[in-house]
Amino acid sequence: MTRLLLVEDDHFDQILFTKRLSMVRPDWIIEHAGDLIEAAQRLEHATYDVVVTDLMLPGAAGEEVLRGLVGAGATRIIVLTGLQDVDVSAWPSVVAHIEKADFDPEGFAAAINAIG
Amino acid sequence: MVLQEAAIITPASLSQLVGLAAMSPAGVVGVVLSGVLVGAFAGWALLPRRAPDSQALEAMVAQRAAARHHELEAARHRMMLILHAAGEGIYGIDGAGKITFCNPAALAMLGHAHEAEVFRRSAHELHHHHHADGAPYLAQECPVYETLRTGQVGAHDGDVFWRKDGSSFPVEFHSTPVNIEGKITGAVVVFRDITKRLAREEELRQSNHDLDVFATAASHDLQAPLRQIRSFADLLKQPGLSPAESKQYLEAVTDSAARMQDIIRSLLTYSRRANRHPDMDAVALSKVVMDVLAVVQEPLDEVGATVDVGALPVVRGDVARLFQVFQNLIQNSIRYRAEGRPLHIAISWEVVGAHHRITVKDNGVGFDNAQAERIFQMFERLHGRSKAGVGLGLAIVRRSLEQHGGSIRAVGEPDVGATFIIELPRVVG
């Protein structure tokens, strides 16, 4: 069973991501963290197949977010952000970068399955 | 003005001067500038000294000489008017770079009361001796000397001229050679104080920067709620939604729309603040703060906040903008209050040198001091989007205070609180 951690402080984006992904993958478990501290706590107590994260979080932005997540033990990260022109090539843990406006639940689920 | 009276040299005195006997100058008008004879108009009569009709001829030539004298006087008067009326500073130098005349605008800009203070002094040593950064300005590098050397008209922008009192101002200037019969005998320098022009250029640069940020905002901060509206509307189209789900999605649509409206309203406020000059007046800050507290009383009561306001000064400012400064700061404190302890805001005043220092201190969530400058940038929210702000409030505060000749900085400590330190000039009047 696939288990995801969504790190997103925007309440509406949390609802949208969860609802839309659940419609195509109702069996997946999606958990939420609103900031890096909460994400680190969850990563400490559970194992996730993928961490999906925004890059603008309370108290951290951009690479600070990635540094924080990798430091907390995230090994596979998908960046889901409203920002364009994001360069995550220096981060091997980042397996994909998706703009929120382009989020397609079917394609997203297929990509995660492909990762394995 | 050192333009001396045009001296009239009579035929008799000139004939004495040059010792002419048979060839008598009948009428001569000499032109003297700055005490130097630079030209003459003369009517010559090639006649024996005591020819029978010499008296009539002398009278005729004297009449013509007088007419020329009047023409010269009129020309001199016109030149004086132009030099006096010119808004630009104009001065002349001789071949050695020494000032030969200086118009009133130049004297005023350079801080001199009388032309005598600059006459015959080196223009370069008087007001062009150092660069803006304080480094000595060698005469060999001076574009005016270049004009004296080459005879080329020079245009220069970006230097400063130094006033008598030691202060300086940025100038643009032109130096035009005075070429008499192929010889460069001096130059005329026309200059203009470009302080205001540079300020306008800086305003324009800031405005362009804001436009860039504005465009970023439109593409990011406005797109987020727009995208959410579309996504929730799509969800609403799904069959089989429960009434609770429908209600939740509809509320999300209206909330996102309201958020877009907030952003647009704030952008407009910021843009208006950026582009209009404030209406300056004497403003009692204690009255401004009381008015703000009346407006934000309800949200203050809702969170159980207390506000202490000490004595506050009267400053020179725009009452509407100062109102917004304090309103935004207090709303900021409400927004970033700490959970678990009642919000307390203290507003106090002290005089520091030439400034009033007004401090707005709260006991909210605070912030890391390393982020202190980021909070004043447009669309920055240190605490992400979980707090309701648009991300423009403090940018508007800073912009408004800068337009008052003031400043604001912030000091924070996480989980202890934030302190905003405003400084406004003490000058009133």
Side-chain angles (χ1 to χ4, degrees):
Chain A
M1 187 177 298
T2 303
R3 189 170 189 179
L4 270 74
L5 175 63
L6 173 66
V7 189
E8 170 65 79
D9 67 317
D10 187 311
H11 179 58
F12 288 159
D13 279 345
Q14 273 186 12
I15 296 172
L16 282 171
F17 178 86
T18 309
K19 179 69 190 171
R20 293 176 72 193
L21 193 57
S22 300
M23 285 164 67
V24 296
R25 291 290 185 277
D27 55 325
W28 285 12
I29 296 168
I30 305 168
E31 294 179 16
H32 299 147
D35 57 31
L36 278 182
I37 296 166
E38 199 182 339
Q41 285 166 352
R42 289 189 176 274
L43 282 162
E44 194 182 342
H45 295 109
T47 304
Y48 298 93
D49 296 290
V50 174
V51 176
V52 181
T53 186
D54 190 9
L55 285 185
M56 282 178 71
L57 295 174
E63 296 199 17
E64 289 171 75
V65 172
L66 299 176
R67 203 173 297 121
L69 289 174
V70 171
T75 51
R76 282 194 296 195
I77 299 170
I78 292 179
V79 169
L80 181 66
T81 174
L83 299 170
Q84 296 169 351
D85 305 324
V86 173
D87 181 9
V88 289
S89 55
W91 294 87
S93 312
V94 177
V95 294
H97 167 228
I98 301 166
E99 276 185 44
K100 285 179 179 175
D102 299 334
F103 177 68
D104 154 38
E106 287 283 5
F108 182 83
I112 288 184
N113 282 337
I115 295 165
Chain B
M1 188 58 51
V2 178
L3 278 176
Q4 304 288 323
E5 288 298 314
I8 300 174
I9 300 168
T10 64
S13 61
L14 189 64
S15 63
Q16 276 173 4
L17 274 172
V18 298
L20 284 180
M23 196 173 75
S24 166
V28 177
V29 177
V31 183
V32 180
L33 279 174
S34 306
V36 178
L37 179 69
V38 296
F41 291 93
W44 295 90
L46 204 84
L47 289 167
R49 261 191 177 242
R50 284 181 178 73
D53 53 351
S54 65
Q55 277 190 336
L57 272 170
E58 278 184 10
M60 186 183 77
V61 174
Q63 198 178 9
R64 285 185 185 170
R68 286 291 173 89
H69 171 64
H70 285 304
E71 282 173 19
L72 264 176
E73 267 298 289
R76 189 184 72 90
H77 185 65
R78 279 197 298 275
M79 196 170 77
M80 294 279 281
L81 280 177
I82 292 167
L83 284 173
H84 273 77
E88 285 94 352
I90 305 172
Y91 64 87
I93 53 169
D94 62 17
K98 295 198 174 356
I99 293 174
T100 55
F101 71 89
C102 192
N103 78 338
L107 288 174
M109 279 190 260
L110 295 167
H112 295 286
H114 304 289
E115 197 176 29
E117 292 175 18
V118 301
F119 186 57
R120 293 283 182 219
R121 292 185 62 187
S122 160
H124 187 82
E125 286 172 18
L126 198 64
H127 59 247
H128 202 199
H129 41 77
H130 283 82
H131 290 282
D133 62 3
Y137 202 143
L138 301 177
Q140 303 92 280
E141 299 167 358
C142 174
V144 180
Y145 281 83
E146 182 74 8
T147 294
L148 290 176
R149 274 194 300 274
T150 64
Q152 300 292 313
V153 174
H156 207 65
D157 196 348
D159 279 359
V160 295
F161 277 0
W162 296 84
R163 297 187 188 92
K164 187 183 172 186
D165 67 5
S167 59
S168 66
F169 58 98
V171 287
E172 62 176 1
F173 64 83
H174 290 78
S175 50
T176 306
V178 176
N179 187 331
I180 296 178
E181 295 177 350
K183 186 167 182 288
I184 309 300
T185 60
V188 175
V189 177
V190 180
F191 68 95
R192 184 178 302 174
D193 183 341
I194 56 169
T195 305
K196 285 183 183 166
R197 192 194 87 194
L198 294 182
R200 279 197 298 273
E201 284 173 1
E202 174 57 24
E203 271 179 27
L204 192 64
R205 198 193 59 73
Q206 181 66 40
S207 171
N208 283 340
H209 171 74
D210 288 352
L211 264 177
D212 280 349
V213 178
F214 203 95
T216 307
S219 71
H220 182 259
D221 279 59
L222 279 173
Q223 279 204 20
L226 187 60
R227 171 176 50 74
Q228 289 169 346
I229 289 169
R230 287 189 58 179
S231 301
F232 280 112
D234 281 343
L235 285 181
L236 277 166
K237 287 190 281 190
Q238 301 296 318
L241 288 178
S242 71
E245 281 175 318
S246 298
K247 185 169 178 287
Q248 183 189 26
Y249 299 160
L250 266 175
E251 279 173 359
V253 167
T254 53
D255 282 0
S256 294
R259 176 161 181 74
M260 284 187 78
Q261 201 170 25
D262 282 348
I263 295 172
I264 290 165
R265 196 176 290 137
S266 295
L267 279 170
L268 281 173
T269 304
Y270 184 87
S271 168
R272 286 198 192 111
R273 288 286 177 267
N275 296 327
R276 283 190 201 156
H277 288 284
D279 298 325
M280 302 298 260
D281 214 339
V283 178
L285 285 184
S286 50
K287 166 105 173 59
V288 171
V289 171
M290 287 305 139
D291 290 347
V292 169
L293 290 178
V295 169
V296 297
Q297 193 59 53
E298 198 178 312
L300 283 171
D301 288 346
E302 275 174 18
V303 301
T306 50
V307 184
D308 278 348
V309 185
L312 293 174
V314 173
V315 298
R316 185 165 167 73
D318 180 313
V319 67
R321 288 174 199 218
L322 291 171
F323 181 93
Q324 181 137 44
V325 164
F326 286 97
Q327 185 181 25
N328 286 8
L329 288 176
I330 291 170
Q331 282 174 338
N332 195 71
S333 290
I334 295 172
R335 185 169 296 133
Y336 298 106
R337 67 188 181 278
E339 300 293 333
R341 60 173 178 266
L343 173 64
H344 181 73
I345 304 170
I347 304 175
S348 58
W349 161 53
E350 62 184 316
V351 171
V352 179
H355 289 86
H356 294 295
R357 178 177 291 172
I358 296 114
T359 306
V360 180
K361 184 179 170 69
D362 69 36
N363 63 343
V365 294
F367 55 86
D368 182 349
N369 246 337
Q371 312 285 344
E373 271 306 297
R374 262 181 65 189
I375 61 177
F376 293 106
Q377 289 166 18
M378 292 173 82
F379 300 106
E380 277 294 342
R381 277 154 297 178
L382 294 188
H383 300 277
R385 286 153 299 201
S386 51
K387 305 279 181 182
V390 166
L392 276 168
L394 294 178
I396 291 171
V397 165
R398 173 167 275 183
R399 172 56 65 93
S400 293
L401 289 168
E402 283 173 351
Q403 287 178 330
H404 284 78
S407 63
I408 184 165
R409 61 195 166 88
V411 179
E413 195 177 337
D415 297 325
V416 174
T419 304
F420 290 90
I421 300 156
I422 296 168
E423 290 200 336
L424 285 166
R426 277 176 65 198
V427 186
V428 177

